[in-house]
Amino acid sequence: MRLLRSLIRPALAGFLMAAASLAPAQTNSWQLVWSDEFNGSIGPNWVFETGAGGWGNNELQYYRRENATVENGALVITAKRENFGGASYTSARMKTQGLKTFRFGRIEARMKLPSFLGAWPAFWMLGANLPQVGWPASGEIDVMEHVNDENKVYGTIHWQDHTGKYAQYGGNTATTVTDWHVYAVEWDTNAIRWYVDGNKYHEVNIAGGINGTEEFQKDFFLLLNFAIGGNWPGFNVNNAALPARMHVDYVRVYAPTWSRQIEAEAFSAQAGVQTEACSEGGLNVGWIDTNDWMAYNSVNFPTSGNYRVEYRVASPGGGTLSLDLNAGSLQLGQLGVPATGGWQNWTTVSHTVNINAGTYNVGVFAPRGGWNLNWIKFTKL
């Protein structure tokens, strides 16, 4: 949102994009950890900023709490042409600073935007350490910005690079902004990715704090605002379009849940088993008799705690499997394999185990054989 349009050096931009495409994608599912659905009222985790000028953007409005309402289950920020506090327009800007911060995950909002000369609605994030280090050292993630009457939206990061200078890197995509769309970023230790309605249009690499991007490994808070004019859209405003309304159906934040699926045939070592064609595609492990086993080396568990372990199994008459780490030195538990009616009639069984963070050799053992295995999946709870 702030100080936007100075272009990043082309060589750096190219490197960020190329490196992003090489960064390994961790498999995540998403768990909702916070939301405001705007059902009846604005939730308690927002505070409103008041004042004119937009804090560095030379915006034309005065921000007021009164310009934000809830109507029909949606937040409505209304920009008006009216004189207040020395400004010719009013609007609203709200944030979760001091109340809710987030680090990594999926951050999204379903929005319907105004489109006219002078419009600048935004959904964005700033580093929680902003009061201590200032901008751009705090970092900024613009989930969605739209200016004037363009049929597109922008996603951008701003930061202080490894040379101590301001840098920014953004992308954009064509969008019918006056219709409802879900605007989102998915953010992890390696990359930030931008989406509209689930379609990715931009990505940036932040792995290892490359080019000074360590700002994006820290906590951020959320902002919603609707500016009129300013450094980016300019200072000509279509006054006939006012009052204008920015609608937000919801804001949701999801935390990443780590998971990893291992194909059964990808063992590092085994005793007594064979592979065969699987009715679900690829191969499965079969001919598992009592006391047979498979080992899967160098499986990394990123955090300590409970993990759900799922096994895709088939068996005419049932059996028993057990899970261990490091050649049986850490026993994690046994699980019954049900009779599924055939060697290729698959079902999924699971149990919950506790694993300390670290890299282990994972072992699957057959205390009682007579079953096939297609895959194993670990999910952090």
Side-chain angles (χ1 to χ4, degrees):
M1 183 68 186
R2 298 187 179 194
L3 304 175
L4 282 173
R5 295 303 100 192
S6 58
L7 294 176
I8 193 169
R9 294 181 292 278
L12 176 56
F15 184 72
L16 282 168
M17 178 177 289
S21 67
L22 296 174
Q26 180 168 298
T27 302
N28 289 311
S29 55
W30 302 108
Q31 179 180 5
L32 183 67
V33 294
W34 180 83
S35 73
D36 196 335
E37 305 294 323
F38 302 112
N39 290 328
S41 63
I42 297 171
N45 291 308
W46 298 98
V47 294
F48 285 84
E49 294 186 288
T50 58
W55 296 277
N57 289 317
N58 295 311
E59 298 164 19
L60 301 179
Q61 81 293 316
Y62 191 102
Y63 285 124
R64 303 182 70 203
R65 168 65 178 83
E66 291 81 356
N67 289 60
T69 58
V70 172
E71 302 175 20
N72 300 316
L75 169 71
V76 180
I77 297 179
T78 303
K80 304 176 182 179
R81 186 184 181 190
E82 61 180 345
N83 295 321
F84 190 91
S88 300
Y89 306 90
T90 61
S91 188
R93 172 162 145 163
M94 50 199 286
K95 61 184 181 178
T96 66
Q97 185 179 22
L99 298 172
K100 279 289 182 181
T101 60
F102 308 97
R103 186 186 308 185
F104 310 132
R106 178 179 169 88
I107 297 93
E108 67 177 28
R110 183 172 183 260
M111 308 172 71
K112 183 170 68 172
L113 308 173
S115 183
F116 62 92
L117 192 65
W120 189 4
F123 173 40
W124 52 304
M125 308 167 66
L126 284 170
N129 61 355
L130 176 69
Q132 291 76 41
V133 303
W135 186 92
S138 63
E140 176 180 329
I141 304 170
D142 298 324
V143 182
M144 186 289 307
E145 292 186 283
H146 166 66
V147 291
N148 295 324
D149 55 0
E150 296 179 349
N151 288 318
K152 58 183 171 181
V153 292
Y154 296 82
T156 312
I157 60 167
H158 307 258
W159 77 102
Q160 181 173 289
D161 71 12
H162 58 294
T163 69
K165 296 180 180 179
Y166 162 75
Q168 65 100 347
Y169 182 49
N172 64 80
T173 189
T175 309
T176 55
V177 298
T178 55
D179 296 330
W180 287 104
H181 295 286
V182 176
Y183 301 100
V185 294
E186 293 183 2
W187 169 33
D188 58 39
T189 57
N190 294 314
I192 306 171
R193 305 168 184 90
W194 282 258
Y195 298 82
V196 176
D197 296 332
N199 298 310
K200 188 178 78 169
Y201 70 92
H202 183 49
E203 181 172 344
V204 62
N205 178 36
I206 59 169
I210 184 173
N211 296 308
T213 55
E214 61 268 9
E215 291 96 320
F216 303 106
Q217 307 290 337
K218 301 175 183 177
D219 291 348
F220 277 65
F221 61 88
L222 308 181
L223 300 99
L224 287 163
N225 71 286
F226 180 7
I228 299 297
N231 293 339
W232 187 10
F235 302 97
N236 295 319
V237 179
N238 178 7
N239 291 321
L242 297 168
R245 293 147 66 89
M246 166 183 167
H247 293 79
V248 183
D249 183 20
Y250 58 76
V251 176
R252 295 173 182 167
V253 179
Y254 299 83
T257 301
W258 179 92
S259 66
R260 178 172 175 184
Q261 182 169 309
I262 302 171
E263 296 301 316
E265 68 274 15
F267 46 72
S268 307
Q270 57 85 19
V273 305
Q274 299 179 43
T275 62
E276 64 182 353
C278 180
S279 63
E280 297 186 321
L283 300 175
N284 65 260
V285 171
W287 290 273
I288 301 173
D289 296 323
T290 298
N291 294 326
D292 289 350
W293 54 267
M294 297 82 74
Y296 304 87
N297 291 351
S298 301
V299 179
N300 178 259
F301 295 89
T303 57
S304 300
N306 288 333
Y307 287 79
R308 182 174 64 252
V309 190
E310 299 168 271
Y311 309 84
R312 190 67 171 167
V313 293
S315 174
T320 308
L321 63 80
S322 70
L323 185 70
D324 62 73
L325 302 178
N326 293 348
S329 64
L330 295 171
Q331 294 291 329
L332 297 179
Q334 291 192 4
L335 184 65
V337 175
T340 65
W343 292 110
Q344 293 294 320
N345 295 343
W346 298 96
T347 191
T348 302
V349 296
S350 66
H351 59 166
T352 298
V353 302
N354 189 273
I355 302 174
N356 290 327
T359 300
Y360 301 92
N361 297 335
V362 172
V364 177
F365 179 74
R368 182 162 69 93
W371 44 274
N372 288 351
L373 180 64
N374 190 9
W375 48 255
I376 314 160
K377 184 177 181 180
F378 297 88
T379 301
K380 180 69 174 69
L381 300 178

